[in-house]
Amino acid sequence: LKLKKKGTDGEEVELLPLVLKYRQEFGNGWISTNDGELSAFIAYAVSFPETCLCLIDTYDTLRSGLRNFILVALALYDCGYIAKGIRLDSGDLSYLSLEVTKMFHK
C-alpha cells in the first residue's frame, strides 16, 4: 500500500517496507506481533494518515497491538505524518494505560 509522502510533489512510498524495517530493528519481541493486526493498521494508516488512531486491544494489547501501532506510527512519521494515538476498549484500562505510557516513553 502506497502513501503520498507529505511535503513532496506527490512522491509515493510503500509503507510496509518501512514498517518491516522498524520491526526488524527492534528485534525478536517485535517480530512475533500479529501479522493480520499489523496489516490492518497499515491499511488504516494509508487510508487516514492525518488522523491515524488504532484500536490496539484486539489480540494482545501490550505484546502485539501496542507494538504494531508503534511500528506503523514510526513509518508514518518517516512520511511526514504524526499518528494521533491509540484506543483501548477492554481489560484493565488503568493498568493498560500506565503500561502504554511507559512504552511510549521508551
Side-chain angles (χ1 to χ4, degrees), residues 21 27 33 38 44 48 57 60 72 86-87 89 93 95 97:
K21 174 189 78 151
T33 61
L38 181 60
Y44 189 83
F48 304 100
D57 61 1
D60 184 321
V72 172
I86 57 133
R87 197 175 94 213
D89 281 350
L93 298 180
Y95 167 76
S97 296

Side-chain angles (χ1 to χ4, degrees), residues 35-48:
D35 289 337
E37 180 182 62
L38 181 60
S39 296
F41 287 2
I42 291 170
Y44 189 83
V46 168
S47 297
F48 304 100

Side-chain angles (χ1 to χ4, degrees), residues 4-12:
K4 287 188 180 177
K5 196 168 185 178
K6 198 170 186 177
T8 67
D9 291 331
E11 177 188 350
E12 290 188 336

Side-chain angles (χ1 to χ4, degrees), residues 23-63:
R23 193 184 205 190
Q24 190 68 36
E25 284 178 17
F26 287 10
N28 289 337
W30 293 71
I31 293 172
S32 62
T33 61
N34 184 284
D35 289 337
E37 180 182 62
L38 181 60
S39 296
F41 287 2
I42 291 170
Y44 189 83
V46 168
S47 297
F48 304 100
E50 298 278 359
T51 58
C52 184
L53 181 119
C54 296
L55 172 65
I56 67 165
D57 61 1
T58 52
Y59 295 100
D60 184 321
T61 303
L62 300 176
R63 288 187 297 235

